[in-house]
């Protein structure tokens, strides 16, 4: 049955090449690896939990918003994957777009204020190729993150070494992408297939839920995602706990970390009252309180991603004696 209402005609859209776009970020914004002072005790505690989790074969999950990639910390996260300290990444649709554009042209990010005036915002031809990747992935039964990672790793992308998705594909680390239809620029394009997009993102959701079956005594982190990370984590965790309960099991505790710019009180391990605007900051009540209420530990660090990610990397000790360090196997020791 057709829609009762008229639809926008995407065939009338004018797409322009990325070469005509002014970019706010260039490849030079990606930071080099380097140890930094560990000033916050929270990172020492989370780093210890990560090392212990990997020694026991438990999952270490890092969820993020797209601003994390725009802060230039790609090399830190790739290194943590290579050394086995991160076993799963999860991001929103914009993460895939920025990662793809960096790999393709060595630049990303456009001025919304500039391009929305004449309706050109988001309508760049090469970025729309992600929609073609989505169609193929849906036909193959792949998730969105794996499909884009494969494309970058195996295709002709001049800056693939900066790509988190390519590194995840190469290292066989799940990088799940969780989209909301209408939220990303590729949804504007005439070649966007909403059904295919929903299929591949839902596949990623099920991959993510499966990962959480191994979260007992593990670590879950959220860098800069106010809605996607806490909401996806909440639903996936409910699924895992539901199945465990039917078998008379209980998911043991885990450690959670949230890093953001939001100001939280010292007593953030108790959720805010509904009369407090902070109550609606989902990472607080979901990831720092409710999901670890039974048993577990939670930590919050306020700061820029360009500072917090390197500080966590340093606290883990990822830069020490790196030449002789080997990747930590599941259930093994470093």
């Amino acid at each position: 049955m057709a829609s009762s209402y008229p639809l926008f005609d995407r065939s009338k859209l004018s797409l322009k090449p990325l070469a005509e776009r002014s970019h706010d970020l260039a490849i030079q914004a990606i930071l080099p690896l380097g140890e930094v002072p560990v000033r916050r005790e929270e990172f020492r505690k989370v780093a210890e939990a990560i090392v212990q989790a990997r020694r026991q074969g438990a999952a270490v999950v890092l969820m993020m918003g797209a601003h994390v990639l725009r802060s230039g910390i790609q090399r830190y996260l790739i290194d943590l994957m290579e050394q086995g300290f991160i076993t799963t990444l999860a991001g929103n649709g914009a993460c895939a777009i920025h990662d793809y554009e960096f790999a393709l042209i060595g630049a990303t990010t456009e001025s919304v204020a500039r391009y929305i005036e004449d309706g050109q915002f988001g309508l760049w031809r090469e970025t729309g190729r992600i929609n073609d990747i989505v169609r193929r992935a849906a036909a193959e039964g792949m998730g969105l993150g794996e499909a884009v990672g494969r494309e970058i790793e195996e295709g002709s992308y001049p800056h693939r070494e900066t790509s988190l998705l390519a590194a995840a594909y190469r290292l066989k680390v799940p990088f799940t992408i969780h989209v909301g239809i209408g939220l990303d620029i590729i949804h504007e394009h005439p070649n966007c297939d909403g059904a295919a997009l929903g299929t591949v993102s839902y596949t990623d959701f099920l991959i993510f839920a499966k990962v959480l079956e191994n979260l007992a005594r593990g670590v879950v982190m959220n860098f800069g995602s106010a809605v996607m990370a806490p909401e996806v984590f909440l639903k996936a965790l409910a699924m895992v706990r539901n199945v465990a309960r039917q078998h008379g099991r209980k998911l043991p505790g885990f450690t959670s970390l949230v890093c953001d710019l939001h100001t939280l009180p010292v007593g953030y391990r108790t959720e805010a009252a509904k009369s407090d605007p902070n109550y609606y900051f989902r990472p607080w009540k979901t990831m720092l309180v409710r999901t670890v209420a039974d048993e577990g530990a939670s930590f919050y660090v306020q700061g820029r991603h360009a500072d917090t990610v390197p500080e966590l990397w340093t606290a883990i000790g990822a830069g020490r004696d790196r030449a002789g360090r080997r990747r930590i196997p599941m259930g093994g020791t470093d």
Side-chain angles (χ1 to χ4, degrees):
M1 180 178 176
S3 171
S4 301
Y5 307 103
L7 305 181
F8 183 86
D9 185 358
R10 296 179 296 174
S11 67
K12 295 180 179 179
L13 291 169
S14 172
L15 304 182
K16 292 185 177 181
L18 280 171
E20 294 184 17
R21 188 178 81 179
S22 295
H23 311 286
D24 290 350
L25 281 175
I27 205 78
Q28 291 76 16
I30 297 180
L31 302 171
L33 281 177
E35 292 194 356
V36 300
V38 181
R39 297 188 173 94
R40 287 164 280 207
E41 185 62 23
E42 291 88 346
F43 283 130
R44 298 186 191 280
K45 292 179 179 178
V46 173
E48 181 179 352
I50 289 172
V51 172
Q52 290 301 319
R54 296 307 300 128
R55 284 174 174 161
Q56 297 178 65
V60 176
V61 179
L62 190 147
M63 308 183 76
M64 72 179 85
H67 279 274
V68 177
L69 293 182
R70 291 168 59 174
S71 68
I73 49 66
Q74 283 87 333
R75 291 189 176 95
Y76 288 94
L77 297 186
I78 291 172
D79 188 71
L80 289 173
M81 282 193 286
E82 288 176 342
Q83 296 194 53
F85 289 116
I86 290 178
T87 63
T88 302
L89 289 170
N92 57 18
C95 285
I97 291 169
H98 288 309
D99 191 82
Y100 179 87
E101 289 185 346
F102 260 138
L104 180 64
I105 63 170
T108 190
T109 308
E110 60 190 300
S111 169
V112 177
R114 172 178 177 177
Y115 288 110
I116 195 58
E117 287 188 0
D118 60 1
Q120 194 57 50
F121 173 69
L123 292 165
W124 310 102
R125 189 172 298 121
E126 294 91 338
T127 308
R129 294 175 188 165
I130 295 175
N131 288 321
D132 298 327
I133 299 170
V134 165
R135 287 176 182 270
R136 292 194 296 270
E140 295 179 63
M142 294 180 69
L144 178 52
E146 183 182 12
V148 177
R150 179 182 66 177
E151 168 68 20
I152 296 171
E153 177 65 16
E154 298 181 355
S156 299
Y157 290 78
H159 306 282
R160 71 162 60 85
E161 76 281 355
T162 69
S163 170
L164 284 176
L165 285 163
Y169 176 78
R170 180 174 66 252
L171 297 167
K172 301 189 184 307
V173 172
F175 190 159
T176 58
I177 299 295
H178 307 272
V179 303
I181 301 296
L183 298 185
D184 300 317
I185 60 174
I186 61 172
H187 305 166
E188 304 172 43
H189 289 235
N191 67 335
C192 181
D193 183 332
L197 194 62
T199 295
V200 296
S201 188
Y202 192 68
T203 295
D204 271 356
F205 175 67
L206 297 180
I207 291 170
F208 183 81
K210 182 66 176 178
V211 165
L212 294 194
E213 290 183 345
N214 195 38
L215 187 59
R217 301 181 183 87
V219 179
V220 61
M221 298 175 280
N222 173 10
F223 284 77
S225 176
V227 177
M228 180 282 294
E231 292 302 306
V232 168
F233 178 66
L234 180 67
K235 278 70 172 185
L237 183 64
M239 295 161 68
V240 171
R241 285 178 169 171
N242 180 284
V243 173
R245 186 194 69 236
Q246 294 180 56
H247 293 275
R249 293 183 286 104
K250 184 179 179 181
L251 185 69
F254 54 87
T255 298
S256 69
L257 167 69
V258 174
C259 294
D260 213 308
L261 293 175
H262 207 81
T263 301
L264 298 188
V266 174
Y268 59 77
R269 291 186 177 92
T270 301
E271 68 180 70
K274 290 185 178 180
S275 58
D276 185 340
N278 282 322
Y279 174 83
Y280 300 97
F281 181 57
R282 289 172 173 83
W284 180 0
K285 62 185 178 183
T286 299
M287 305 191 79
L288 298 176
V289 182
R290 293 177 176 176
T291 56
V292 293
D294 200 13
E295 56 177 312
S298 63
F299 300 92
Y300 181 74
V301 175
Q302 182 179 16
R304 301 182 317 129
H305 306 310
D307 298 325
T308 56
V309 172
E311 190 170 345
L312 176 64
W313 180 86
T314 303
I316 292 171
R320 300 175 198 157
D321 302 322
R322 192 182 187 286
R325 185 183 288 270
R326 63 185 174 85
R327 193 168 188 268
I328 299 176
M330 291 294 289
T333 58
D334 70 340

